[in-house]
Amino acid sequence: MSKKRKKQWLFVVVLVIIALLTGCTGGGSGPANEPKPKDPAAETGQKEGQEDPPKNGEEQQEPEPEPEQTIDMQGKPVRVLSWGYAGGEKGTEAGEERIALEQELEKKYNTKFQFDQIPWGDIQDKITASVVAGEPIADVFLLERSRAFPSMLQKDFLQPIDGILDIDSKQWPADLRKTGGFAGKVYGFSTAVGGGGGIYYNKAILKKEGLPDPQELQDKGEWNWDTFLDIAKKTTKDTNGDGKTDQYGLALTPTNFVPAFIASNDGDVTKVVDGKLAFAGDDENAMEALRFYSDLSNVHKVVKPQTDNWDDYINAFNEGIVAMRYGEGWEGGGIQTNLGSEYGFVFIPKGPKATAYHNAMQPTLWFVPKGANPDAVRIYAEYLIGYMPQEGELDDWTESLFADRKSLDNYIEMGKIMTPKDWEGIPDFGQEIGNSWKNIGAGKETPETAMKKVRPVLEGLLDAAQK
């Protein structure tokens, strides 16, 4: 080889090496199918949304979109576990659409959906046993939040979804970090939390007594404990002159009424301290709610006496002898059957310590067990988003629950103002505190005496469940 040819060959080799080194300086790629979010502000020093200045008078070109991330499940299934069949079923338009979506995603990701059903009460134990054995039986499973938090979380049976799904995307509810989160991480997800509980009221009774409609009070920002009490007092009376009260302002059961009113005063029964639930049912805001609850029965006497029959307060309202009661949104259909269109549904009235409306809830969410396939979770999330109504969207059944649009809108908004009842997942906690609330309502104990007496019991239950 001549010297000239040899120099040319060496020059080509150097260029190739430089090109290879330049291509390697971009850093290693992240985990498969987990694109790293880009921060334009960090790369350019500009504020988000600010346009780049033109360079040397040249027109700036739009950057090419990043290629869509692909998943190949290589025939492995997406395993879904719930107590009811979670896939599409033949025979209805909605069911057929879901089946078509399943087939589309199965082809797209080289997978199959596996929808397994086990009884409601067995899901927590079955998932737990499979995780302990090192082989989770599902990639996603359906469970009430309180059965997952704190017990399954603190025993390391759950996988956070923060690094799997973009939970800040508009495809998910805006408050998903609160609804599905615990101690700073998010574990549960759903396309919509749905509505919750509020106050049902009998429009015919209020019209007869010449009282304002709670919806109008809510619209004016005047729906609070004072206006609620005023209506309850003015609708509690003897209507036939026999000297006995036969119409009541309120019917309730403490199990659902008390947590709602504690939440409405910006309080809670428990709070998270250092990653664990701690008792908060005797904090200032909660105690103010308990005193109000006690006074309703024992001072103002506006509450219809409750029997041992759980349905008593429901039946009394449906019979038209009670002006108001607490109820969940799904109960609207039964109320409509009995009262026609003469009822409304509004928020829990605002307590003195609150600056906004609140309520307590028990959401049902999808969770990911430890050791599940993250790609299967992503595919199921795409499926869920593809067929479930998004937040604010309605299905025919939900629309049928209420006789007027205002009530329906209230129900939709209630899903955004809920405080999770994580204490319901602590064994015996609900029974112990429920008995105390029942004694308060019956006038057997003052709120102060009842909470002082039950506090050590409840703290012991919390400690035992969170070792």
Side-chain angles (χ1 to χ4, degrees):
M1 182 184 295
S2 68
K3 290 183 179 180
K4 183 175 180 181
R5 292 284 302 271
K6 192 171 185 179
K7 288 180 180 179
Q8 290 174 339
W9 181 82
L10 289 172
F11 180 71
V12 170
V13 171
V14 170
L15 288 177
V16 171
I17 293 172
I18 291 172
L20 289 172
L21 290 173
T22 303
C24 293
T25 58
S29 62
N33 304 314
E34 288 195 47
K36 296 181 179 179
K38 292 187 176 181
D39 183 0
E43 295 179 359
T44 67
Q46 293 175 238
K47 295 180 179 179
E48 185 176 350
Q50 182 178 350
E51 296 183 359
D52 290 330
K55 298 179 180 180
N56 300 324
E58 296 181 0
E59 184 178 347
Q60 186 181 357
Q61 295 182 350
E62 291 292 329
E64 293 185 6
E66 293 186 7
E68 181 181 354
Q69 295 297 313
T70 58
I71 296 173
D72 185 353
M73 291 288 286
Q74 299 179 351
K76 291 182 289 187
V78 175
R79 300 169 302 163
V80 183
L81 182 65
S82 62
W83 53 84
Y85 187 70
E89 297 182 89
K90 295 180 179 180
T92 66
E93 181 179 353
E96 297 291 349
E97 288 176 355
R98 283 177 63 175
I99 291 173
L101 178 59
E102 291 163 20
Q103 294 172 345
E104 176 188 335
L105 295 178
E106 287 175 343
K107 181 179 180 181
K108 179 180 178 181
Y109 296 118
N110 188 20
T111 187
K112 284 287 183 182
F113 283 96
Q114 177 181 313
F115 297 104
D116 294 323
Q117 293 176 256
I118 62 176
W120 169 84
D122 295 342
I123 289 183
Q124 187 176 7
D125 290 341
K126 294 288 187 182
I127 289 289
T128 296
S130 70
V131 173
V132 170
E135 187 59 46
I137 59 175
D139 297 300
V140 293
F141 65 96
L142 193 64
L143 201 66
E144 295 97 323
R145 176 189 162 106
S146 67
R147 295 175 69 198
F149 302 152
S151 59
M152 295 186 74
L153 175 59
Q154 291 171 348
K155 294 175 182 175
D156 201 27
F157 294 149
L158 300 179
Q159 186 172 336
I161 62 170
D162 304 59
I164 300 175
L165 305 176
D166 181 9
I167 56 177
D168 294 319
S169 165
K170 292 182 179 179
Q171 293 176 312
W172 302 109
D175 61 347
L176 186 59
R177 287 189 178 277
K178 176 183 177 182
T179 306
F182 191 96
K185 291 188 177 181
V186 183
Y187 297 86
F189 65 97
S190 176
T191 56
V193 177
I199 297 296
Y200 284 102
Y201 62 95
N202 186 311
K203 291 183 177 181
I205 291 178
L206 270 57
K207 289 177 183 176
K208 180 182 67 174
E209 304 297 341
L211 296 171
D213 189 301
Q215 181 64 59
E216 295 175 3
L217 294 172
Q218 181 178 298
D219 291 341
K220 294 188 293 184
E222 298 174 1
W223 182 232
N224 52 47
W225 287 3
D226 289 337
T227 52
F228 172 82
L229 176 59
D230 185 62
I231 290 175
K233 289 166 70 174
K234 291 177 178 176
T235 52
T236 300
K237 58 174 53 181
D238 169 16
T239 62
N240 58 14
D242 66 355
K244 298 179 181 179
T245 301
D246 51 32
Q247 177 179 284
Y248 289 88
L250 184 62
L252 60 83
T253 180
T255 302
N256 53 29
F257 183 88
V258 174
F261 271 75
I262 289 176
S264 77
N265 201 35
D266 203 14
D268 203 347
V269 176
T270 55
K271 58 187 175 183
V272 179
V273 178
D274 297 329
K276 292 186 176 182
L277 290 183
F279 183 59
D282 58 0
D283 287 358
E284 180 182 355
N285 291 15
M287 290 302 296
E288 188 171 22
L290 289 178
R291 294 186 196 102
F292 181 70
Y293 157 68
S294 177
D295 288 348
L296 288 171
S297 292
N298 303 309
V299 176
H300 308 298
K301 302 185 184 303
V302 298
V303 180
K304 183 183 182 300
Q306 175 77 358
T307 68
D308 291 334
N309 179 9
W310 170 272
D311 292 333
D312 181 57
Y313 81 106
I314 298 172
N315 295 334
F317 184 81
N318 288 343
E319 291 166 6
I321 61 172
V322 170
M324 298 180 290
R325 81 164 176 92
Y326 175 91
E328 301 292 330
W330 57 266
E331 297 181 78
I335 292 173
Q336 193 170 156
T337 299
N338 289 278
L339 299 183
S341 61
E342 289 296 305
Y343 72 98
F345 186 62
V346 290
F347 297 153
I348 302 298
K350 193 184 303 180
K353 295 292 193 303
T355 57
Y357 292 107
H358 297 287
N359 196 356
M361 68 168 178
Q362 189 53 268
T364 297
L365 302 165
W366 291 101
F367 293 93
V368 180
K370 199 80 171 183
N373 185 341
D375 281 340
V377 178
R378 296 184 183 98
I379 294 171
Y380 183 71
E382 184 175 341
Y383 173 66
L384 195 66
I385 290 170
Y387 82 81
M388 283 292 289
Q390 300 299 295
E391 191 170 40
E393 295 181 355
L394 300 173
D395 53 39
D396 293 340
W397 177 78
T398 302
E399 288 190 0
S400 72
L401 294 176
F402 303 100
D404 62 86
R405 182 69 203 193
K406 284 280 191 177
S407 295
L408 180 59
D409 289 342
N410 289 335
Y411 174 71
I412 296 169
E413 288 300 310
M414 284 172 190
K416 305 174 184 178
I417 60 173
M418 298 295 180
T419 300
K421 297 191 286 186
D422 293 336
W423 50 271
E424 288 190 340
I426 303 297
D428 299 324
F429 188 102
Q431 180 178 348
E432 291 291 343
I433 198 167
N435 287 337
S436 295
W437 292 339
K438 188 175 181 180
N439 288 340
I440 292 171
K444 296 179 180 179
E445 293 180 310
T446 66
E448 290 76 14
T449 300
M451 289 301 101
K452 183 177 180 180
K453 178 180 176 181
V454 78
R455 182 184 177 94
V457 176
L458 299 176
E459 288 181 329
L461 294 173
L462 289 168
D463 289 342
Q466 299 181 98
K467 287 183 177 179

